[in-house]
Amino acid sequence: MVKKLLHTRYRVNDLEKTIHFYTQVLGLKEIRRHKSPRGSELVFLQTPNSDELIEICSYPASGLVTFCSDLTHLAFEVESIEEFAKHAAALGYPLSDGPTPSSSGVFAFIDAPEGYEIELIEYRK
């Protein structure tokens, strides 16, 4: 039996552009970076108020990452979709969908540099 979720990995082609998005647009914190024994460049990111990490991996030796839309996404809670949208757009990342009202609040989506979709949720107070 598993004990707990440790991290989720996303492999990317442009490591630095992706890390910039996750740290500057989303506000995650880079907590460690190293090269794996097989040669992958790994960067671990921490989300506020979460124990699980996000691992961003660059491994050019395995070929280019090809993206299949709507296969997977990460979801983050935000205080205000409107404020987040202004912040992200100012950095060149406008919302790709939404905001959309729901029974629990409002949600929207933004695309990370490699095409991975990020869901943003503002829960109703």
Side-chain angles (χ1 to χ4, degrees):
M1 301 289 267
V2 298
K3 187 173 175 180
K4 72 185 236 181
L5 177 64
L6 299 175
H7 67 266
T8 299
R9 180 185 140 205
Y10 282 93
R11 195 164 70 82
V12 299
N13 295 310
D14 189 332
L15 184 66
E16 295 312 319
K17 186 174 183 179
T18 299
I19 297 306
H20 179 267
F21 172 81
Y22 280 91
T23 58
Q24 302 305 304
V25 178
L26 297 180
L28 278 60
K29 180 180 174 185
E30 181 178 328
I31 60 166
R32 72 178 178 274
R33 181 185 289 240
H34 68 275
K35 193 171 287 270
S36 77
R38 70 178 188 160
S40 298
E41 191 73 31
L42 306 174
V43 179
F44 288 85
L45 304 168
Q46 184 176 42
T47 304
N49 304 308
S50 297
D51 291 333
E52 300 82 15
L53 302 175
I54 297 171
E55 175 187 329
I56 304 297
C57 170
S58 174
Y59 188 46
S62 67
L64 286 177
V65 174
T66 56
F67 180 73
C68 174
S69 65
D70 205 26
L71 178 64
T72 184
H73 75 259
L74 296 170
F76 296 97
E77 182 180 355
V78 296
E79 195 67 37
S80 165
I81 294 268
E82 182 179 336
E83 290 302 312
F84 180 88
K86 288 177 191 175
H87 162 76
L91 295 172
Y93 293 95
L95 297 179
S96 57
D97 187 14
T100 304
S102 73
S103 60
S104 60
V106 179
F107 67 93
F109 292 89
I110 188 171
D111 292 333
E114 301 277 342
Y116 291 113
E117 192 172 59
I118 305 294
E119 183 176 9
L120 308 158
I121 302 169
E122 176 188 336
Y123 288 115
R124 183 169 283 116
K125 296 172 183 155

